[in-house]
Amino acid sequence: MAAASSPSSLHSSLRSCSKISITSHLSFSGSSPGFVKIPSRSGICSVGRICAAPLRSQANPVKVSASAAPVMDKPDSRVSTVVDVDLGNRSYPIYIGPGLLDEPDLLQRHVHGKRVLVVTNTTIAPLYLDKVTSALTHGNENISVESVILPDGEQYKNMETLMKVFDKAIETRLDRKCTFVALGGGVIGDMCGFAAAAFLRGVNFIQIPTTLMAMVDSSVGGKTGINHPLGKNMIGAFYQPQCVLVDTDTLNTLRERELASGIAEVVKYGLIRDAAFFEWLENNMHTLLARDPIALSYAIKRSCENKAEVVSLDEKESGLRATLNLGHTFGHAIETQAGYGQWLHGEAVAAGTVMAVDMSFRLGWIDETIKKRTLDILQLAKLPIAPPDVMTVDKFKKTMAVDKKVADGLLRLILLKGPLGNCVFTGDYDRNVLDETLRAFCKS
Amino acid sequence: MAAASSPSSLHSSLRSCSKISITSHLSFSGSSPGFVKIPSRSGICSVGRICAAPLRSQANPVKVSASAAPVMDKPDSRVSTVVDVDLGNRSYPIYIGPGLLDEPDLLQRHVHGKRVLVVTNTTIAPLYLDKVTSALTHGNENISVESVILPDGEQYKNMETLMKVFDKAIETRLDRKCTFVALGGGVIGDMCGFAAAAFLRGVNFIQIPTTLMAMVDSSVGGKTGINHPLGKNMIGAFYQPQCVLVDTDTLNTLRERELASGIAEVVKYGLIRDAAFFEWLENNMHTLLARDPIALSYAIKRSCENKAEVVSLDEKESGLRATLNLGHTFGHAIETQAGYGQWLHGEAVAAGTVMAVDMSFRLGWIDETIKKRTLDILQLAKLPIAPPDVMTVDKFKKTMAVDKKVADGLLRLILLKGPLGNCVFTGDYDRNVLDETLRAFCKS
């Protein structure tokens, strides 16, 4: 079944830990005879912390068999994982596992001051607001919790909605020693994070993502912000949370379309830097879509580790971090032109990824099998593999021209190059090939 | 006339430089027989950089005779000063002197990318926008300059006006490699700075303050932000500029009331930490009000040095930096309740300073001469020494309750304590005395 890391690969991983400083540790609440095998075999768990695989060319210290069966029927198979995002004095842990909202200590140790503002939306509030409030206050009567419930959807990720958070914070007289808690998906995380960054020039911030997208994307890296009518995420801040708490049980209430949207980002990590993970995803997509908690925890952990590695090397996106935006430049254009909220972020990223991969193939930078495997895995996840009919070449060009990755007028793109798991961030490509790709995917 | 630093005081100053890391250097365009004497006497200039006085208890290495006559009629007396604000990788220089906008190199060395957005207002644009555009583009045809002209006044320091900056930046397709230039007073500096902090999650930023208030206050420390209807500066960021360029010639077009407003902040530095500077101000107030360029340059330099010392020790205002807010808690209440824009910031700070000093005296923390000297110097500067009639005890209390210095419900204040030049930031005071002060200054 599962293959543990060899001592030599583990050794090389531990050595490089001092350089890249992302660590993850796993704890098991019981024996885990399922397809996540390593801790019991390698004994890594007994020393507390292990290093995440620092480079894609090295052996992955947490190997998971692609053909292993899920273990949904095992009551003791719960896995709690911590991924530490190491950013100097802005470091924070990501707790991953089922039932974590039932462990108040985990949350309370990261609350500063006595007052908390939970920022959530109309979909999530009826499901989890009471539970989170209980977790924040359980055994701690000093804590008072306010909440602000925003309308749900990307179309509300704007200044007007953001002001509702400030209104609430100021009306209820929150001070610098308060804590903002984002309870919801990526939109809530981005808006609450930016509000926390800007309220009184910065207050404490905790993320409780409830969508797969938010768990694997916005939980790492501190990108916060809002949209402008002319472009996505144009206004924001880099602002790190105190911790991220991923209770995988919250995924049980997620719509199928939202789950698939998150999988688009998960697939991205495989494409840009982790071929082994891509292969695991190819073999485990059905298990993931069936919401197997161990498969989900593993996919979230591996995604967070991949992103944390990149972010710790390039927090402010001077270069490397931009590679996380594979498919996003095309995708943002789709989101902007289709109207915010019509296409989910991951759906747009999926179509955008297909376009980026198409362009990489046209440039001769990858072979056709990578293009085919990308299409196959996204279709398996029931994600769109082409932009909507409303998109035209002109609309793509107009929107892509205001992308944040434009520098001095030059549009840089993330494109695959070389074997699976390799990419480049470059403005050095044939413009005609970009046009070819746009024409291939647009009717006009 | 002027007294140079003794070798021993200079020595102690230089030694402490390594600890506090704020440096200033002066260059002279000619001989300077006026009242700023030290460089020619002590030979400090010849070694390039000297340390600013790091501690108020030490002898000031740049001593200026209080009784010296101004030297406005000396064509060679121009003084250019640089105060370096050392904040690790966010350090920046403040250039101070007349005619600096006629030196394009100074500005251009801090421009990143090829595109600049100048943010200014309807008062300043007709006076200096062309001059600044010339300075930015002189001898450098690659630079293109956009501008956005905002309405002038504290009442426009809000989200609606801020959005005009984002609109312009996005409409003109500025990218991450652009530079925002704040040309104007504190309101422009705060709004442009916050816009620069938030646009694409942070772009390059240069400040060209044109009011004394902006030169001595917002030019140091990176506080940016906007007001909320319920409180001043509630939304913002700590964001440092690449450089600050203080052309003292721009003060020639400043209204008298605005000049006096800036002097309120200058006086504050004397009160909280620099008795020698306070004494110099007592003796040179008429010269300052007559806009003597050397007196102005010295007052700006000493103010920036004082603030830079504090900020470098406590960038995020965990404690020490709060002392810079002497009079501001009372003052902010006046500004908020009188309606933004009715009272200038420094006018409100002056009245607030009188109230803070009154309270310090009532607590028995200072002797009566400090109270009298504070009243005298503010009156000499034609500043208000009491809040407007519209203020009531209740209005003060209501507004002060949402002050940023409230922590877990406790209002902390900056109060003078001990000899001139000493203060405390504390929540440990008799509430009844606060009430006494409020009643003494309010009719109801």
Side-chain angles (χ1 to χ4, degrees):
Chain A
M1 301 247 295
S5 298
S6 69
S8 64
S9 71
L10 177 63
H11 181 67
S12 68
S13 166
L14 285 168
R15 271 181 46 192
S16 54
C17 188
S18 61
K19 289 182 197 159
I20 64 137
S21 60
I22 298 127
T23 58
S24 66
H25 39 113
L26 295 89
S27 63
F28 284 69
S29 59
S31 64
S32 178
F35 71 128
V36 182
K37 268 292 196 188
I38 311 84
S40 56
R41 284 222 198 162
S42 67
I44 293 169
C45 263
S46 64
V47 297
R49 295 190 173 210
I50 59 163
C51 285
L55 294 167
R56 61 172 174 266
S57 58
Q58 292 182 336
N60 189 331
V62 183
K63 281 234 171 106
V64 175
S65 164
S67 58
V71 287
M72 295 178 73
D73 55 342
K74 305 275 182 186
D76 288 329
S77 64
R78 177 171 139 188
V79 180
S80 274
T81 303
V82 184
V83 176
D84 286 325
V85 183
D86 194 338
L87 295 165
N89 61 5
R90 297 179 310 289
S91 299
Y92 63 92
I94 303 172
Y95 305 111
I96 304 165
L100 298 191
L101 282 177
D102 299 317
E103 298 179 25
D105 286 352
L106 218 51
L107 207 50
Q108 288 184 16
R109 76 176 70 146
H110 296 285
V111 170
H112 292 179
K114 298 170 187 165
R115 305 191 60 195
V116 177
L117 177 66
V118 179
V119 179
T120 186
N121 67 32
T122 48
T123 305
I124 296 300
L127 296 169
Y128 300 111
L129 182 52
D130 284 351
K131 198 177 180 81
V132 167
T133 304
S134 295
L136 286 163
T137 55
H138 181 82
N140 193 344
E141 288 174 6
N142 288 328
I143 300 283
S144 72
V145 179
E146 309 281 348
S147 63
V148 57
I149 300 171
L150 305 177
D152 184 14
E154 180 87 20
Q155 66 271 42
Y156 300 106
K157 187 176 159 181
N158 56 31
M159 192 60 85
E160 191 186 342
T161 312
L162 183 74
M163 286 303 281
K164 293 185 198 298
V165 182
F166 293 126
D167 291 348
K168 185 75 178 187
I170 297 170
E171 280 162 20
T172 55
R173 299 190 174 182
L174 296 186
D175 60 41
R176 279 185 177 163
K177 282 197 180 168
C178 71
T179 296
F180 281 24
V181 173
L183 172 64
V187 171
I188 287 293
D190 283 6
M191 282 208 288
C192 178
F194 185 41
F199 179 59
L200 307 181
R201 300 196 188 92
V203 297
N204 192 40
F205 167 47
I206 289 172
Q207 273 185 290
I208 305 178
T210 59
T211 65
L212 182 60
M213 171 62 76
M215 292 170 182
V216 301
D217 186 24
S218 48
S219 67
V220 184
K223 278 192 181 180
T224 70
I226 55 171
N227 300 329
H228 183 276
L230 294 178
K232 260 180 75 81
N233 297 321
M234 284 283 162
I235 302 163
F238 287 97
Y239 200 67
Q240 307 297 341
Q242 286 295 310
C243 78
V244 178
L245 190 140
V246 174
D247 184 337
T248 52
D249 287 351
T250 60
L251 295 176
N252 293 333
T253 50
L254 196 64
R255 289 186 302 148
E256 274 197 17
R257 212 180 134 190
E258 292 273 4
L259 186 73
S261 174
I263 286 174
E265 293 283 358
V266 175
V267 167
K268 173 197 74 181
Y269 295 113
L271 282 171
I272 62 167
R273 67 193 313 273
D274 193 344
F277 185 41
F278 188 88
E279 281 159 27
W280 182 88
L281 289 167
E282 288 179 314
N283 290 309
N284 289 276
M285 188 54 74
H286 289 297
T287 318
L288 274 178
L289 293 173
R291 307 187 195 213
D292 173 278
I294 296 183
L296 283 170
S297 283
Y298 177 72
I300 294 164
K301 170 183 166 292
R302 200 70 207 104
S303 298
C304 289
E305 284 170 347
N306 268 300
K307 184 160 184 183
E309 284 165 26
V310 172
V311 168
S312 72
L313 293 168
D314 178 23
E315 186 182 357
K316 295 292 174 69
E317 194 162 324
S318 10
L320 178 65
R321 182 166 176 174
T323 62
L324 297 172
N325 286 314
L326 175 72
H328 283 57
T329 302
F330 298 104
H332 282 175
I334 294 170
E335 283 179 275
T336 305
Q337 291 291 339
Y340 291 142
Q342 297 303 303
W343 274 50
L344 296 177
H345 177 62
E347 291 171 338
V349 165
T353 297
V354 174
M355 294 176 76
V357 170
D358 175 271
M359 189 173 153
S360 307
F361 175 67
R362 286 176 194 269
L363 286 162
W365 292 357
I366 56 171
D367 70 38
E368 195 158 14
T369 60
I370 295 179
K371 183 176 155 186
K372 183 174 183 315
R373 287 170 75 181
T374 304
L375 278 170
D376 287 348
I377 198 169
L378 294 174
Q379 282 188 299
L380 203 57
K382 296 168 190 158
L383 283 159
I385 53 167
D389 289 347
V390 67
M391 292 306 294
T392 62
V393 172
D394 277 353
K395 281 184 180 174
F396 265 113
K397 286 191 170 179
K398 188 180 159 197
T399 322
M400 289 163 76
V402 295
D403 188 90
K404 286 190 290 298
K405 286 178 289 300
V406 172
D408 283 334
L410 178 69
L411 176 63
R412 295 172 295 172
L413 289 170
I414 297 91
L415 298 165
L416 301 189
K417 195 167 191 176
L420 182 68
N422 290 280
C423 68
V424 290
F425 171 47
T426 183
D428 187 15
Y429 54 81
D430 184 343
R431 263 61 196 154
N432 296 324
V433 175
L434 172 58
D435 288 348
E436 280 174 29
T437 291
L438 292 178
R439 281 197 299 270
F441 284 88
C442 300
K443 288 179 182 164
S444 63
Chain B
M1 302 245 296
S5 299
S6 69
S8 63
S9 72
L10 178 63
H11 180 68
S12 68
S13 166
L14 285 169
R15 272 181 43 194
S16 55
C17 189
S18 61
K19 289 181 195 158
I20 65 138
S21 64
I22 298 126
T23 58
S24 65
H25 39 111
L26 295 88
S27 64
F28 286 68
S29 58
S31 63
S32 176
F35 70 128
V36 182
K37 268 293 194 186
I38 313 81
S40 56
R41 284 218 198 164
S42 67
I44 292 167
C45 262
S46 64
V47 296
R49 294 192 173 209
I50 59 165
C51 285
L55 295 167
R56 61 172 173 269
S57 59
Q58 292 183 336
N60 188 330
V62 183
K63 281 233 170 106
V64 175
S65 165
S67 59
V71 288
M72 295 176 74
D73 53 342
K74 306 274 183 187
D76 288 329
S77 63
R78 178 169 140 191
V79 179
S80 275
T81 304
V82 184
V83 176
D84 286 325
V85 183
D86 193 339
L87 295 165
N89 61 5
R90 297 180 309 291
S91 299
Y92 62 91
I94 304 172
Y95 304 111
I96 304 165
L100 298 190
L101 282 177
D102 299 317
E103 298 179 26
D105 285 351
L106 217 51
L107 206 51
Q108 289 184 16
R109 76 175 71 147
H110 296 285
V111 169
H112 292 181
K114 298 171 188 164
R115 304 192 61 195
V116 177
L117 177 66
V118 179
V119 179
T120 187
N121 67 32
T122 49
T123 305
I124 296 300
L127 295 169
Y128 300 111
L129 182 53
D130 284 352
K131 198 178 179 84
V132 166
T133 304
S134 295
L136 286 162
T137 54
H138 182 83
N140 194 344
E141 287 174 7
N142 288 327
I143 300 285
S144 72
V145 179
E146 308 282 349
S147 63
V148 56
I149 299 172
L150 306 177
D152 183 14
E154 181 86 21
Q155 67 271 42
Y156 300 107
K157 187 176 159 180
N158 55 31
M159 193 60 86
E160 190 187 341
T161 312
L162 184 74
M163 287 303 280
K164 293 184 197 301
V165 182
F166 293 126
D167 291 347
K168 185 75 180 188
I170 297 169
E171 279 163 20
T172 54
R173 300 189 175 182
L174 295 186
D175 62 40
R176 279 184 177 163
K177 281 197 181 170
C178 71
T179 297
F180 281 24
V181 173
L183 172 64
V187 170
I188 287 293
D190 283 7
M191 283 207 289
C192 179
F194 185 40
F199 180 60
L200 308 181
R201 301 195 187 94
V203 296
N204 192 39
F205 168 46
I206 289 172
Q207 273 185 290
I208 306 178
T210 58
T211 65
L212 182 59
M213 172 62 77
M215 293 170 181
V216 300
D217 185 25
S218 47
S219 67
V220 183
K223 280 192 181 179
T224 70
I226 55 171
N227 300 328
H228 184 277
L230 294 178
K232 260 180 75 79
N233 297 322
M234 284 283 162
I235 302 162
F238 286 97
Y239 200 66
Q240 308 297 341
Q242 288 295 309
C243 79
V244 178
L245 190 140
V246 174
D247 185 336
T248 52
D249 287 350
T250 59
L251 295 177
N252 293 331
T253 50
L254 196 64
R255 287 187 303 149
E256 274 197 17
R257 212 179 133 191
E258 292 273 5
L259 186 73
S261 174
I263 286 175
E265 293 283 359
V266 174
V267 166
K268 174 197 73 182
Y269 295 113
L271 282 171
I272 62 167
R273 67 191 314 270
D274 194 342
F277 184 42
F278 188 87
E279 282 159 27
W280 181 88
L281 289 167
E282 287 178 315
N283 290 310
N284 290 276
M285 188 54 75
H286 288 298
T287 318
L288 274 177
L289 294 173
R291 309 189 191 210
D292 173 279
I294 296 183
L296 284 169
S297 283
Y298 178 72
I300 294 164
K301 171 183 168 289
R302 201 69 208 103
S303 298
C304 289
E305 284 170 346
N306 267 300
K307 184 160 184 182
E309 284 166 25
V310 171
V311 167
S312 73
L313 293 168
D314 178 22
E315 187 183 356
K316 295 291 174 70
E317 194 162 325
S318 11
L320 178 66
R321 182 166 177 174
T323 62
L324 297 172
N325 286 315
L326 175 71
H328 283 58
T329 302
F330 297 104
H332 283 176
I334 294 169
E335 283 180 275
T336 304
Q337 291 291 337
Y340 292 141
Q342 297 303 304
W343 273 51
L344 296 177
H345 177 62
E347 292 171 338
V349 165
T353 298
V354 174
M355 293 176 76
V357 170
D358 174 90
M359 190 174 152
S360 307
F361 175 65
R362 284 175 197 271
L363 286 163
W365 292 357
I366 55 170
D367 69 38
E368 195 159 13
T369 60
I370 295 177
K371 183 176 155 187
K372 184 175 181 317
R373 287 170 74 182
T374 305
L375 278 171
D376 287 349
I377 198 169
L378 295 174
Q379 281 188 299
L380 202 58
K382 296 169 189 157
L383 283 159
I385 53 168
D389 289 347
V390 69
M391 292 305 293
T392 62
V393 172
D394 277 354
K395 282 185 181 173
F396 265 113
K397 285 190 171 179
K398 187 181 159 197
T399 321
M400 289 162 75
V402 294
D403 188 272
K404 285 191 289 298
K405 285 178 291 299
V406 172
D408 282 335
L410 178 70
L411 175 63
R412 294 171 296 170
L413 289 170
I414 296 92
L415 297 165
L416 302 189
K417 195 168 192 175
L420 182 69
N422 289 279
C423 69
V424 290
F425 172 47
T426 182
D428 187 15
Y429 55 80
D430 184 343
R431 263 59 194 157
N432 295 323
V433 175
L434 172 58
D435 288 348
E436 279 173 30
T437 291
L438 292 178
R439 281 197 300 271
F441 283 87
C442 299
K443 288 179 181 162
S444 61

